[in-house]
Amino acid sequence: MNYQESLDYILGFTDYEKLPSVLYSPANYDLRRMEGLLEGMGNPQRQARTVHIAGTKGKGSTAAMIASVLTASGLSTGLFTSPHLHTMRERIAVDGRPISREELARMVARYRPVIDALKHSAPYGRLTTFEVLVALAFAYFREKGVTFQVMEAGMGGRLDATNVIHPQVSIITPISLDHVEVLGPTLEKIAREKSGIIKEGSPVVIAPQPPEAARVLARVCREKGADLIRVGKDITWEKGLSDLKGQAFRVRGRNESYSLSIPLLGDHQLENAATAVAGLEVLVEQGFQVTPEGLSEGMARVSWPGRLQILQAQPTLVVDGAHNDASARRLRESLAQYFRWERLVLVLGSSIDKDIHAIVEELAPLHPVAIATSSRHPRAMPSAQVAAEFQGQGIEVEIVDTVPDAVTRALAMAGSSDLVVATGSLFIAAEVIEVITGQVSD
């Protein structure tokens, strides 16, 4: 198989990421499918130590930080994340390098007989694209002989395809209302789904949570006999100097204190970093050699594009993947913290299953000139629907249906002292990055 054939094969399965909503139940998310598939592949998920991360916001950043530190400490590390910005290959990486086109094609060709056998028998329902990707990630990490695999859960936790391991540490990042039509309409229900990654006797790190979610997570930890480490209580942090290149901070852990810096902007990234440190301290307590030098170097080198990323100056152009009210609020606060502008031009698109009213409501206090757009993703919300929310807030809005045209229009409107922000989903952020940098999507 060549690379395109391997992609076509993976995407030929049911892809829930392209559907507006799917009932979150064992009928659609049956872990027995994953267990059967992995058994046919020789159970590669058991060959490396695992850090498992679930949550609503910050789980990708936290995963990237932990993987970067482990690699910098000399521990070969696989990282599985989703979704991707430009290429499916970003989702499966070892020591910061995405799987190559040739490697992905080879892995698909090698395991296709096993995948096809389960596909045709389908004793527990049809395989999904996400399940195939997770299985290929485990197999690739085994082939590369990694010491650690850092696995970011997808939408939920309990029924997520990554939830087939017994991790060294489970981490749950901040929980907020998202995918409510699938996971449930309350923070308690969403927290119960996320808590499904908590395993008997395995330590759990919990980022700062709304009280309703915190209570659920604490109760599940007690029931499972899992040691609970609370970021913000057991682990604290203090912000230091910051500029548009990054920020310094100090983390007071349970073992010692650390002076660190990250090239990521926003106070929420300091919270993510403290959460990552809490997880890494658990690994140190278990005897793994996470060195102080590795911690400092790994944090300083972490890369997580599409999150409060500056693409150009005069006018300044920022992209951010904020896609719910909580992340939009953090974006608004970060913009006020880091930037000054005469006028803010906001390019906004969203996915059809997101609460666009709540997102616009959070961004309205910025008093932007707005451009409503729509990404090329199949789940994209029509730009007219986005525009209607701005109009409801009394905000001037223009409809530009494609992202390349929208960002071109925004930059043409903006003066050198204005700020252009493109946000609403990672799909919007990815397309803007491609327009500005020439990055090619494959």
Side-chain angles (χ1 to χ4, degrees), residues 32 34 36 54 61 79 93 117 136 150 180 209 244-245 257 283 289 310 356 389 411-412 420:
R32 290 177 296 181
M34 277 301 296
S61 299
L79 174 64
L136 289 172
V150 180
V180 294
Q209 302 287 349
L244 294 183
K245 295 182 179 179
S257 295
L283 302 183
Q289 297 300 310
I310 302 171
I356 187 62
E389 291 297 337
L411 292 173
V420 178

Side-chain angles (χ1 to χ4, degrees), residues 164 171 209 362 397 434:
V164 290
I171 297 173
Q209 302 287 349
E362 287 292 344
V397 60
E434 291 167 8

Side-chain angles (χ1 to χ4, degrees), residues 397-416:
V397 60
E398 182 175 334
I399 296 175
V400 182
D401 284 326
T402 70
V403 174
D405 288 345
V407 72
T408 298
R409 173 63 178 148
L411 292 173
M413 292 171 61
S416 60

Side-chain angles (χ1 to χ4, degrees), residues 177-196:
L177 292 174
D178 199 16
H179 298 293
V180 294
E181 75 290 344
V182 179
L183 298 180
T186 67
L187 289 173
E188 290 92 338
K189 288 183 179 294
I190 294 173
R192 279 199 292 271
E193 292 298 332
K194 306 291 184 182
S195 72

Side-chain angles (χ1 to χ4, degrees), residues 327-372:
S327 55
R329 185 181 314 117
R330 285 182 163 180
L331 172 60
R332 171 169 52 82
E333 293 167 352
S334 296
L335 292 175
Q337 176 183 349
Y338 287 101
F339 301 96
R340 298 292 178 268
W341 60 84
E342 288 191 12
R343 183 175 59 161
L344 188 145
V345 182
L346 180 64
V347 177
L348 185 69
S350 186
S351 297
I352 195 66
D353 56 337
K354 301 303 179 184
D355 187 349
I356 187 62
H357 176 78
I359 294 172
V360 172
E361 195 169 50
E362 287 292 344
L363 297 175
L366 294 171
H367 305 293
V369 174
I371 295 176

Side-chain angles (χ1 to χ4, degrees), residues 235-256:
I235 306 285
T236 61
W237 70 96
E238 292 180 0
K239 183 175 180 177
L241 297 176
S242 64
D243 57 27
L244 294 183
K245 295 182 179 179
Q247 47 190 336
F249 59 104
R250 187 169 186 81
V251 176
R252 289 188 174 86
R254 294 179 303 137
N255 300 335
E256 57 182 287

Side-chain angles (χ1 to χ4, degrees), residues 61-62 64-66 68-69 239 241-249 259-270 272-273 294-311 318-320 338-339:
S61 299
T62 303
M65 291 174 187
I66 290 174
S68 183
V69 169
K239 183 175 180 177
L241 297 176
S242 64
D243 57 27
L244 294 183
K245 295 182 179 179
Q247 47 190 336
F249 59 104
S259 295
L260 304 168
S261 65
I262 51 174
L264 306 176
L265 303 181
D267 288 350
H268 58 288
Q269 294 293 6
L270 301 183
N272 294 336
L295 182 60
S296 178
E297 179 182 335
M299 286 290 183
R301 288 185 177 183
V302 68
S303 175
W304 200 234
R307 286 79 175 176
L308 210 63
Q309 181 181 0
I310 302 171
L311 294 179
V318 175
V319 294
D320 187 81
Y338 287 101
F339 301 96

